[in-house]
Amino acid sequence: MKRVHIREEVCVTCRRCEVYCTVEHSLSRDIIKAYKKERPRLLARVRVQERGALSVPVLCRHCDEPSCVFACLTGALRKDPETGAVVLNREKCVGCWTCVLFCPHGAITPDPQRHIIAKCDLCSHLPVPACVANCPNEALIFAEEGVGA
Amino acid sequence: MVPKYVIVGNSAGGIGAAEAIREVDSEGSICIISDEPFPVYSRPLISEFLAGERTLDGMLYRPRDFYQQNAIEALLGQKVAGIDFPGARVVLEGSESLPWERLLLATGGTPIVPNIAGRDKEGVFTFTTLEDARRMERFLEGKPRVVVIGGGLIGMSLASALVKRGVGVVMVELLDRVLGAVLDEPASRLVEGVLREAGIELITGQAVREITGKSFEEGRVGGVVLQDGRQLSCGLVVIAIGGAPRTELVKNSPVKVNRGIVVDRHMATSYPHVYACGDVAEGYDFVYGTGRLTPIWPNAYLGGRIAGYNMAGKQTLYPGGTAANSFKYFGYPLVSAGMVNPQDGCEVLVSRQDRSYRKVVLKDDHIVGLVFAGDIQQAGVAFGLMREGVNVRPFKDALVRDDFGLTFIPQGLRRAGLGVSPREMVP
Ligand SMILES: Cc1cc2nc3c(=O)[nH]c(=O)nc-3n(C[C@H](O)[C@H](O)[C@H](O)COP(=O)(O)OP(=O)(O)OC[C@H]3O[C@@H](n4cnc5c(N)ncnc54)[C@H](O)[C@@H]3O)c2cc1C
Ligand code: SF4
Ligand code: SF4
């Protein structure tokens, strides 16, 4: 399957991925409205973790053996048999945070205000995820495994 | 039709197995039996049901057509009365019987009800099934005060539902703190603070000696008497002191039982072609390096999945599970896993601020237990290192830092875990 590959060595912590992820999943899909009007503010599903010169954008890996899916108490998380994407059914999620504990990458963010989680859905409605499309340095690449960028 | 696979228990474990079997074997017939009449629902959500936040449809763990889609015969509302091991048949109540080639026991747990005087009165409940929640509904109409016996996970889940219903709750816990089995003392105290803030009256170090009747209606709950003689009036009593593996089907059978059904790393019992998983089984606990009861939903599902693969002939090892819990009750996020009250020879790292608390327990530089409270976002990274058995010596002090995350993990490990782009991908 196609995944978002992370090249931490060229990430410059500009956090555009976070911004465009937030906008893409907002109601208005408008940067000003998404940040200034929609409340509670959406949480980005990719988060750049920074320490010294190191900068790692972290987002769901859409694992082949997704422990979040196995752990989910409600059946809200499942791996799409066609695309391989690990997707959330927002209706079913109750915000129990079990998957947060079971994701070994810390890729799931609790959204306590909405009582559901925020996690990457690979922007399945777009040809290329918004974070990848807006990364100025190709620190995020959307590709099959082992295929050159 | 002779079912090839018979699964007793239509919940996390049974469904995990059925899904794994179907990944490997699309033909072999599967029959799932449960004495509960509902399609598979999320058991933990019975508290959301009681709170009025979810209906049965909103609690379904799989879509209603799941059984049909996967060619599974579901015998719901039917109890297995016994098992004929030499004849390889399960005997249903009403004396019909069913042969099997592979059998899975995913019968879960049963609530423990201590011998308290008055426990037979109308208005005394346990709380582990959707039916329990349904029956309790009727008693909540007049908003009676409720006494919850037990400050464990189920008591907590129930209390949160009752508070949402606007019902007064008294929680009586025998130990000197709540959630003693899964939390350490500071974390228990944090939870107690949250409970009290939510208006719950908490009585610790006490047991209920007697459940008393109503005046003029002796058969119905009117109150309780505590060990110290204190009397509390209430209209409902819920006993939630814990569960025991539901092993009735293997009593005096060739299947070896300790506290739960003994299984190996393939989830196989001591009897050929019979498997077990979930709350009824002693699956491998990687923290203790031995089979143990670890009655949580994720372990039941994963154990079931492994059982299913092995039943269908795909040899697979259970990586093991440990007690791992996540709480969101009353809006306070908290997770714990493994050995939170360390044994001798363990190293303990702690950090603490206002309403946030972190603790990681290490043994020989390997994580064996953790508690994250307040901010839990990165707890999964620590739990992942714990499950993978990673030596954390080079970065252990970071584990309890506020900003702990993947950036503290050595590059090789982080990249392998994240599936970071292989070198040849760099343009
Ligand atoms: C209120 C509550 C809250 C919980 N919250 C959490 C939580 O937040 N996180 C978490 O991880 N876990 C939680 N749990 C625990 C979790 O629900 C269990 O670990 C999980 O359901 C175990 O799954 P299982 O498949 O082993 O068995 P069960 O879910 O117990 O299912 C076993 C099924 O087998 C049926 N059965 C048994 N014997 C027979 C027989 N002889 N004939 C026919 N059918 C039979 C039973 O009726 C039952 O339907 C909670 C449990 C409760 C009750
Ligand atoms: S959320 Fe975590 S465990 Fe689940 S698929 Fe994504 S990376 Fe894997
Ligand atoms: S928080 Fe939502 S997605 Fe995660 S385990 Fe709970 S119900 Fe499933």
Side-chain angles (χ1 to χ4, degrees):
Chain A
M1 68 172 290
K2 275 189 154 183
R3 287 189 165 89
V4 176
H5 298 272
I6 301 166
R7 295 170 59 219
E8 58 184 47
E9 62 279 11
V10 288
C11 171
V12 296
T13 333
C14 68
R15 298 186 190 275
R16 280 170 65 103
C17 52
E18 292 183 3
V19 173
Y20 283 89
C21 175
T22 304
V23 173
E24 190 55 43
H25 295 95
S26 67
L27 289 173
S28 59
R29 300 213 184 150
D30 175 284
I31 191 165
I32 304 288
K33 286 188 187 135
Y35 274 80
K36 294 285 187 196
K37 294 239 163 67
E38 292 181 27
R39 287 290 175 274
R41 174 161 341 137
L42 273 181
L43 301 177
R45 296 146 185 224
V46 49
R47 310 231 295 193
V48 182
Q49 294 186 17
E50 194 182 0
R51 186 164 73 94
L54 179 62
S55 168
V56 188
V58 177
L59 71 171
C60 171
R61 312 315 302 144
H62 300 276
C63 304
D64 292 329
E65 288 283 306
S67 42
C68 62
V69 173
F70 302 155
C72 176
L73 296 191
T74 65
L77 283 170
R78 63 180 250 285
K79 188 160 177 79
D80 188 310
E82 245 105 82
T83 65
V86 170
V87 288
L88 177 73
N89 177 341
R90 299 167 59 91
E91 239 83 273
K92 294 193 79 70
C93 178
V94 293
C96 68
W97 319 142
T98 304
C99 55
V100 176
L101 177 58
F102 275 80
C103 170
H105 306 300
I108 297 183
T109 305
D111 186 344
Q113 304 222 51
R114 289 186 178 74
H115 306 286
I116 63 169
I117 57 156
K119 84 168 273 302
C120 164
D121 60 358
L122 282 180
C123 290
S124 49
H125 56 291
L126 298 177
V128 174
C131 55
V132 173
N134 289 285
C135 175
N137 283 344
E138 295 187 324
L140 295 172
I141 294 173
F142 193 50
E144 299 282 345
E145 269 90 345
V147 176
Chain B
M1 190 170 59
V2 178
K4 182 160 184 196
Y5 307 98
V6 171
I7 297 173
V8 188
N10 177 39
S11 187
I15 297 300
E19 291 185 339
I21 291 170
R22 275 291 170 260
E23 277 181 29
V24 183
D25 176 355
S26 56
E27 313 260 286
S29 59
I30 303 178
C31 178
I32 296 187
I33 311 167
S34 173
D35 55 3
E36 289 191 77
F38 314 105
V40 61
Y41 66 91
S42 170
R43 189 168 309 289
L45 293 195
I46 62 174
S47 72
E48 269 75 3
F49 178 89
L50 189 68
E53 292 176 340
R54 298 253 152 175
T55 59
L56 172 59
D57 273 316
M59 296 165 71
L60 292 182
Y61 182 56
R62 292 293 182 259
R64 276 190 186 266
D65 63 0
F66 169 81
Y67 303 96
Q68 207 193 336
Q69 290 294 330
N70 290 282
I72 295 168
E73 188 188 359
L75 302 179
L76 305 180
Q78 296 209 37
K79 188 172 175 182
V80 174
I83 300 172
D84 167 8
F85 285 96
R89 298 181 84 88
V90 294
V91 183
L92 300 178
E93 214 166 54
S95 81
E96 215 187 309
S97 81
L98 215 64
W100 87 78
E101 284 178 33
R102 298 283 181 277
L103 174 67
L104 176 67
L105 300 168
T107 51
T110 180
I112 296 171
V113 179
N115 200 2
I116 303 173
R119 69 176 188 187
D120 297 328
K121 291 193 194 305
E122 204 185 330
V124 180
F125 286 88
T126 54
F127 188 63
T128 58
T129 66
L130 178 55
E131 196 50 38
D132 291 334
R134 281 193 166 170
R135 288 191 303 126
M136 215 181 280
E137 278 266 88
R138 193 163 58 86
F139 286 80
L140 290 176
E141 268 154 26
K143 295 207 189 298
R145 179 150 83 147
V146 182
V147 170
V148 176
I149 305 179
L153 287 160
I154 293 183
M156 225 48 74
S157 158
L158 171 66
S160 77
L162 293 171
V163 165
K164 287 180 197 156
R165 293 279 300 239
V167 172
V169 180
V170 186
M171 184 179 270
V172 183
E173 165 59 49
L174 181 64
L175 300 179
D176 69 344
R177 61 187 173 92
V178 299
L179 293 171
V182 292
L183 294 183
D184 65 344
E185 182 169 347
S188 288
R189 299 293 175 228
L190 280 166
V191 172
E192 287 169 3
V194 173
L195 290 174
R196 292 204 165 97
E197 258 170 52
I200 290 170
E201 190 184 331
L202 190 60
I203 303 175
T204 53
Q206 277 294 319
V208 169
R209 191 171 73 195
E210 187 185 346
I211 300 169
T212 52
K214 265 164 86 154
S215 39
F216 308 117
E217 214 184 335
E218 215 8 72
R220 230 181 129 140
V221 169
V224 298
V225 184
L226 302 184
Q227 252 168 357
D228 64 3
R230 239 182 302 172
Q231 301 192 8
L232 307 168
S233 69
C234 64
L236 193 71
V237 173
V238 190
I239 300 174
I241 62 166
R246 192 165 162 189
T247 51
E248 66 214 25
L249 290 176
V250 287
K251 285 259 158 63
N252 307 316
S253 83
V255 171
K256 192 171 162 203
V257 181
N258 186 23
R259 286 176 67 202
I261 298 175
V262 175
V263 291
D264 65 13
R265 297 283 298 269
H266 293 94
M267 308 308 288
T269 70
S270 61
Y271 195 80
H273 308 317
V274 178
Y275 295 75
C277 67
D279 287 10
V280 77
E282 293 186 357
Y284 182 70
D285 184 325
F286 61 83
V287 170
Y288 295 88
T290 173
R292 279 180 98 233
L293 297 174
T294 52
I296 60 165
W297 186 275
N299 294 348
Y301 182 84
L302 187 59
R305 187 174 162 81
I306 302 301
Y309 281 143
N310 288 305
M311 289 164 77
K314 181 176 166 182
Q315 294 283 316
T316 313
L317 270 192
Y318 180 49
T322 194
N325 286 285
S326 157
F327 317 81
K328 44 115 200 204
Y329 306 124
F330 312 103
Y332 187 66
L334 189 158
V335 295
S336 77
M339 198 188 289
V340 289
N341 293 299
Q343 302 169 339
D344 288 348
C346 288
E347 179 182 356
V348 178
L349 306 169
V350 174
S351 75
R352 163 149 226 189
Q353 267 153 25
D354 201 17
R355 276 166 68 94
S356 99
Y357 173 64
R358 275 185 198 185
K359 166 167 162 175
V360 172
V361 181
L362 304 175
K363 195 170 189 181
D364 304 327
D365 295 319
H366 290 75
I367 305 176
V368 293
L370 60 87
V371 181
F372 275 51
D375 178 3
I376 61 165
Q377 156 97 54
Q378 295 298 312
V381 175
F383 189 41
L385 295 167
M386 174 169 158
R387 280 181 294 171
E388 292 294 322
V390 172
N391 186 322
V392 296
R393 186 191 189 91
F395 56 94
K396 64 184 175 190
D397 292 329
L399 293 166
V400 293
R401 280 174 62 138
D402 280 356
D403 57 350
F404 170 68
L406 290 173
T407 55
F408 287 93
I409 295 176
Q411 191 187 53
L413 202 60
R414 179 176 66 241
R415 284 174 174 249
L418 282 175
V420 165
S421 60
R423 273 280 153 230
E424 65 270 28
M425 269 196 50
V426 178

